[in-house]
Amino acid sequence: MRTKIGIPRSLFYYKFIPFWDSFFNGLGAEVVISGPTNKKILDSGVKTCVDEACLPVKLYFGHVLELKDKADFILVPRFTSISKKEYICPEFGGLPDVIRHTLKDLPPLITTEINLRRTGKGGVDAAIEMASEIGVDGKTAAAAYKRALEVQRVRGNTFAIEEYFGDTGTRDTGTGTLSHTSENPAGKRERELNLKVAVIGHPYNIYDKYISMDLLGKLKKYGIGIKTIEMTDENETNKHSARLKKPMFWYYGRTAYGAALHLASSGEIDGMICVTSFGCGIDSFVNDLIERRIRKDYKIPLIIMTIDEHSGEAGFNTRLEAFVDMLQWRRANENNISTSG
Amino acid sequence: MKITFPHLGNTYICVKAIFDDLGIDYVIPPFNNKKALELGTRYVSEMVCLPLKINIGNYIQAYEMGADTILMAGGCGPCRFGYYSQLHQEILRDAGFDMEIITLESVYGIGDLLGRIKRLMPDNGAYLKLPGVIRRAVKVAKNTDELEMLTFRLRARESEPGNVDGIYRAFRENALKTYGTKATLKLIDETTDKLDSVSLKPDAKPLKIGIVGEIYTGIEQFASFEIQERLGRLGVEADRKVTVSNWIIEHMLKKGLHLPRDLSYARAAKPWLGTMIGGHAQETVGNTVLYAQNGYDGVIQIFPFSCMPEIVAESLLPYIERDLGIPVLTLIIDEMTGEAGYMTRVEAFIDMLEKRRERKKYEGGWTLSWD
């Protein structure tokens, strides 16, 4: 029987699952992923995690618990850095310790540190260490790592959105998927207007249908085109993030800032939605910097949508609808000239 | 060029002495106050952490006193502090305060750092003084912190409440009127002598509490509602390991010169937190363990709302509490924190510690109250 590696459908799942899938299969293991987020997963996370943590971290707890009896190992790596001179988030760095102490009776955890801050070689080192945890030799690990990197390069930026719209059964709201678009008369006018918005947010927030209240699906239903950080050309992102006087030392922060500014300056979007989880330290800086820059240099409407475990969907929808209405009026009645300045 | 800098406890004493010696023109903002916090919350977006807001208040108050340049420390993450200078700059510019920020950090290499220092120097003569000034300034920082720690020990034991407060407040005021490192060192010595002559209760056995947490809310008494002074007035001795001088000596000088550092906190933290994750989380966890091992009665963790590293520490502290049998109280501060509710929690914690100590002493451990 193949070793089962449990991977929580949370946090870096949305960025790295093509890599993990290929890597662990290359090691001869089987990957088991926790189910899509639901109320039970969220509740069990909120119950076990400390109050002050952000929503995605609480959710991570729920997904780890979900894997409790389904896997031989659970992957809870210490994500310190995935790019040179940059970090992820202090809360990610401490996750293995917090999970280990808080949740009891779990299968063994794979808590290898992933740190590419000083050198890109950190990746293969981590891969070899991980493989040794499940008793696979370094040579196999290095080969699997190389193959997995290639898979990640090809699919890394697209799989999350594909999965989001390809999979209709994950959130039972009856709306919000591609197949409903054509049946929805409300979306007709918007489709004719051909509006497009940028959705700037952590992958684990915007690609999780449950906690993002199916924001992407709702936009699709309105017939509004979507641009995310992952859909933005990396060179352009880098070019625009270089406009910061001091390089931002958070990977997400740099790419979010660069992508937001690129999309705003390219003229291809009509509005921007920043999605943030309540209490996110990095977003508190990044969104503020984006907002200041957009207000000064670009005439693009921007809304910051905050989500937490108490978020009511009605209030969220009201804000979103108001924002979309405003975009339509701007397009239809104002010839793109903002009267608000 | 008129330089100012943000307040952080008694840091102003050390920085002022250096500026005096080098002949740098400066303004010290008023001690942290409600107005500074109000200014900060007005211009800074709500989810940004508290120290940044108070900093902005300091800058605006200094601007009104004529300052045009800000000197502050920097960093390279992952804690938000490393990016403070950039956000500060944007906020001040958008709010119409024309100030420039010079950050002392070596993110761009040593040459760049030296260039920044050069901009601060009024003339070439100042360079010659620099080695001596730095040596004395480190001493000022160290002695100031020792003096502050002494007041925490004495306040819990003084026979006439208020003596220590009087001497210490006068010292903070006098430091503003003292010129240069040499005179400041003398002032510290004189104040220490005065404190040493304060009469103490001969049989005082105060409760001992360790303060851990985020560095700004730990050191800056305004941000923590003067927690350590209040504990002293309640007859509790409150210790804190994270100080400005410790940071300068351990993290800047020793690290920069690759000298062996005191990493006992990191070793102590190891079973609970395996690595440095930014901010002071490792110190918080490690020092809590050390306090437990050194027979302290309790630990209070303080941090600003939404501080990422401290949230990790907070989620680990209950297990240290359980494993090592040391009570821990976590206090989270933001601009909305009310003093009364805050103090009620602190007082309840102290009552509990007192009862706990009594029970250990007279009843030989845990007993039910109706026994």
Side-chain angles (χ1 to χ4, degrees), chain A residues 160-335:
Chain A
I161 195 94
E162 283 166 15
E163 185 191 76
Y164 194 101
F165 287 115
D167 170 15
T168 50
T170 50
R171 192 168 197 214
D172 193 24
T173 55
T175 55
T177 52
L178 266 176
S179 57
H180 292 86
T181 316
S182 54
E183 299 156 21
N184 176 29
K188 194 165 168 273
R189 182 156 162 264
E190 291 87 336
R191 269 200 308 284
E192 282 162 6
L193 289 172
N194 197 17
L195 291 167
K196 206 183 251 185
V197 297
V199 180
I200 304 293
H202 290 274
Y204 48 75
N205 282 336
I206 62 172
Y207 296 125
D208 186 321
K209 274 186 200 177
Y210 190 83
I211 63 168
S212 72
M213 315 249 172
D214 196 19
L215 173 67
L216 297 185
K218 280 171 185 161
L219 288 171
K220 196 106 202 171
K221 195 186 93 189
Y222 283 127
I224 293 179
I226 300 158
K227 273 281 191 181
T228 64
I229 303 171
E230 289 70 34
M231 297 178 201
T232 312
D233 182 48
E234 216 177 310
N235 294 326
E236 294 292 341
T237 302
N238 291 340
K239 205 171 83 197
H240 283 272
S241 62
R243 286 164 71 180
L244 288 165
K245 233 169 110 193
K246 176 178 177 173
M248 202 179 271
F249 43 70
W250 300 300
Y251 169 80
Y252 167 76
R254 179 180 58 77
T255 50
Y257 186 85
L261 259 55
H262 163 66
L263 292 170
S265 64
S266 69
E268 61 179 308
I269 53 163
D270 301 278
M272 189 176 289
I273 301 175
C274 292
V275 180
T276 173
S277 34
F278 179 77
C280 175
I282 293 167
D283 282 356
S284 75
F285 272 43
V286 178
N287 287 347
D288 195 47
L289 289 168
I290 291 177
E291 191 182 347
R292 285 172 190 279
R293 181 63 57 194
I294 298 260
R295 273 200 191 156
K296 260 181 289 188
D297 296 350
Y298 308 101
K299 300 263 181 272
I300 290 176
L302 178 142
I303 188 172
I304 296 180
M305 304 283 263
T306 308
I307 48 174
D308 70 5
E309 61 267 37
H310 310 296
S311 288
E313 192 161 354
F316 186 89
N317 288 349
T318 307
R319 292 191 68 204
L320 183 66
E321 279 163 22
F323 185 72
V324 171
D325 277 352
M326 189 259 295
L327 292 183
Q328 289 161 12
W329 289 330
R330 272 170 68 98
R331 171 62 72 84
N333 307 332
E334 293 183 22
N335 284 332

Side-chain angles (χ1 to χ4, degrees), chain B residues 4 74 174 181 191 220 234 257 310 314 331 336 362:
Chain B
T4 191
N174 286 334
T181 43
T191 312
E220 178 52 56
L234 292 168
L257 299 169
E310 291 300 324
E314 186 202 0
L331 298 170
M336 310 294 280
Y362 300 112

Side-chain angles (χ1 to χ4, degrees), chain A residues 50 52 78 87 90 93 97 100-102 244-250 279 281 284-285 288-289 292-293 296, chain B residues 43 47 75-80 82-83 86-87 90-91 94 105 108 271-275 277 311 314 319 332:
Chain A
V50 67
E52 277 69 30
R78 191 190 298 282
Y87 287 101
D97 290 310
R100 182 163 59 94
H101 283 102
T102 310
L244 288 165
K245 233 169 110 193
K246 176 178 177 173
M248 202 179 271
F249 43 70
W250 300 300
S284 75
F285 272 43
D288 195 47
L289 289 168
R292 285 172 190 279
R293 181 63 57 194
K296 260 181 289 188
Chain B
Y43 292 111
M47 290 315 293
C76 55
C79 158
R80 276 180 276 185
Y83 220 70
Q86 294 301 301
L87 201 55
E90 296 269 338
I91 291 166
D94 288 354
E105 59 189 350
Y108 308 98
W272 287 274
L273 182 62
T275 182
I277 57 157
I311 290 173
E314 186 202 0
Y319 307 103
I332 302 169

Side-chain angles (χ1 to χ4, degrees), chain A residues 15-24 127 144-145 148-149 151-152:
Chain A
K15 199 155 182 66
F16 288 130
I17 197 63
F19 175 87
W20 295 129
D21 201 31
S22 160
F23 177 67
F24 284 111
Y145 174 76
L149 268 192
V151 174
Q152 177 70 21

Side-chain angles (χ1 to χ4, degrees), chain A residues 37-91:
Chain A
T37 306
N38 55 35
K39 190 164 170 24
K40 186 180 148 258
I41 292 178
L42 177 63
D43 284 351
S44 67
V46 169
K47 232 178 263 171
T48 44
C49 186
V50 67
D51 289 344
E52 277 69 30
C54 60
L55 175 63
V57 165
K58 288 175 182 161
L59 208 53
Y60 192 76
F61 277 60
H63 280 284
V64 171
L65 281 173
E66 192 70 11
L67 289 167
K68 199 169 159 181
D69 303 315
K70 295 178 187 154
D72 303 318
F73 291 90
I74 299 181
L75 181 69
V76 188
R78 191 190 298 282
F79 262 115
T80 305
S81 167
I82 52 168
S83 47
K84 211 167 180 190
K85 287 190 177 172
E86 288 174 338
Y87 287 101
I88 310 268
C89 159
E91 286 187 41

Side-chain angles (χ1 to χ4, degrees), chain B residues 7 40 53 75 88 112 185 242 246 353:
Chain B
H7 271 297
K53 294 176 185 169
H88 279 151
D112 176 75
L185 283 171
V242 176
N246 180 277
L353 293 185

